[in-house]
Amino acid sequence: MDEARLAAHAVGFGRGGRAILEGVDFSFGPGELVSLLGGNGAGKTTLLRILLGLLAPLRGEATLGGAPVRRMNRRAFAEQVAYVPQAHVAPFPYRAREIVALGRAPAVGLFGRMGARDAQAADEALAMLRIGHLAERDYTTLSGGERQLVMVARALAQGARLLVMDEPMAGLDYGHQLRLLGHLRRLAGQGWGVLMTTHHPDQARLASTRIATLVAGRIDSDGAPDAVLTPETLRRLYGLEPGDIPA
């Protein structure tokens, strides 16, 4: 559905006299798992922050369904788009179900109280990711992979159909990376849209429906994984010489 797409249009951004993004055109929507690849300092996180309306571009704009993100009511935006941070340790020993239920905050409002419908949404999100058995566990005792799945469940409980994830695999062992990628691919197959940044082309190739590469602040390539992840693209992406890539 085009009306649900989150997009950047000719976005430019810089800081301290240095250009970070230049003329970036990019979008994603329901049914896609899109990986955004780029080296350190390529501008991946900056682009995510602009798409989320947390940072104003110097040129161009971000839109959701054609409406400028920066002018949208934040509650209305949260009904459609959820941000999934890297797994973190909560400062208090909340149960996993309580962390997931926090995703209902935009719907409940600042002074509202969560009810049975909100608790049901949290339980359904846990079940969807097959982590219902973690519901009563202290979040601080979970592994990194389990905490990341709880963060995804929180986003699902929010009710948004578009998920934006910054380096979701960071710090996870290979088994948890594969498990999380499998869940994300299933969500895309069920109609959610997922955008994630990553440093790792192998992760992107394994699960993505689309890959976009960010080089020198511009979208260098955008398409099917096998079409994008060529030796030539990898050389541009990571500044490699022809002999650096094994034949």
Side-chain angles (χ1 to χ4, degrees), residues 109-227:
L110 183 60
F111 300 107
R113 297 185 63 181
M114 294 189 187
R117 182 177 178 181
D118 303 303
Q120 180 180 355
D123 286 337
E124 288 176 351
L126 287 162
M128 188 177 299
L129 295 176
R130 305 172 188 172
I131 54 171
H133 60 286
L134 301 178
E136 299 302 320
R137 289 273 304 275
D138 178 341
Y139 180 80
T140 63
T141 68
L142 301 181
S143 71
E146 290 169 336
R147 288 198 299 270
Q148 191 62 290
L149 287 175
V150 169
M151 289 292 100
V152 176
R154 186 178 72 173
L156 297 180
Q158 185 174 318
R161 299 296 290 185
L162 299 179
L163 310 181
V164 177
M165 312 179 72
D166 195 6
E167 296 287 345
M169 309 300 165
L172 303 187
D173 65 32
Y174 191 61
H176 280 115
Q177 290 177 22
L178 292 178
R179 191 171 292 111
L180 179 55
L181 286 171
H183 282 300
L184 297 179
R185 186 59 185 258
R186 279 190 289 274
L187 287 174
Q190 293 167 10
W192 273 266
V194 182
L195 169 63
M196 69 173 191
T197 63
T198 178
H199 287 289
H200 303 292
D202 55 335
Q203 293 176 357
R205 186 191 296 274
L206 186 62
S208 303
T209 61
R210 240 179 77 213
I211 293 174
T213 62
L214 195 57
V215 178
R218 297 178 180 273
I219 297 295
D220 182 71
S221 54
D222 187 345
D226 287 341

Side-chain angles (χ1 to χ4, degrees), residues 7-151:
H9 305 278
V11 161
F13 186 82
R15 186 179 285 119
R18 183 176 74 89
I20 298 174
L21 298 174
E22 284 285 353
V24 171
D25 289 299
F26 172 81
S27 72
F28 81 105
E32 294 185 295
L33 171 50
V34 183
S35 289
L36 181 62
L37 284 171
N40 289 328
K44 300 187 302 298
T45 298
T46 298
L47 179 56
L48 293 196
R49 289 175 61 81
I50 289 172
L51 288 171
L52 293 168
L54 302 176
L55 193 63
L58 298 182
R59 292 172 296 281
E61 66 177 359
T63 62
L64 175 61
V69 168
R70 293 282 292 179
R71 298 180 194 169
M72 289 187 69
N73 175 277
R74 296 310 295 174
R75 182 171 178 177
F77 183 80
E79 290 175 350
Q80 300 182 67
V81 181
Y83 172 61
V84 182
Q86 293 182 20
H88 69 289
V89 177
F92 302 104
Y94 293 111
R95 292 177 300 164
R97 178 185 281 113
E98 293 172 323
I99 296 290
V100 175
L102 291 175
R104 299 298 301 161
V108 173
L110 183 60
F111 300 107
R113 297 185 63 181
M114 294 189 187
R117 182 177 178 181
D118 303 303
Q120 180 180 355
D123 286 337
E124 288 176 351
L126 287 162
M128 188 177 299
L129 295 176
R130 305 172 188 172
I131 54 171
H133 60 286
L134 301 178
E136 299 302 320
R137 289 273 304 275
D138 178 341
Y139 180 80
T140 63
T141 68
L142 301 181
S143 71
E146 290 169 336
R147 288 198 299 270
Q148 191 62 290
L149 287 175
V150 169
M151 289 292 100

Side-chain angles (χ1 to χ4, degrees), residues 223-241:
D226 287 341
V228 169
L229 293 181
T230 65
E232 181 180 350
T233 300
L234 293 175
R235 285 196 292 269
R236 291 196 303 270
L237 190 60
Y238 298 110
L240 300 171
E241 298 297 329

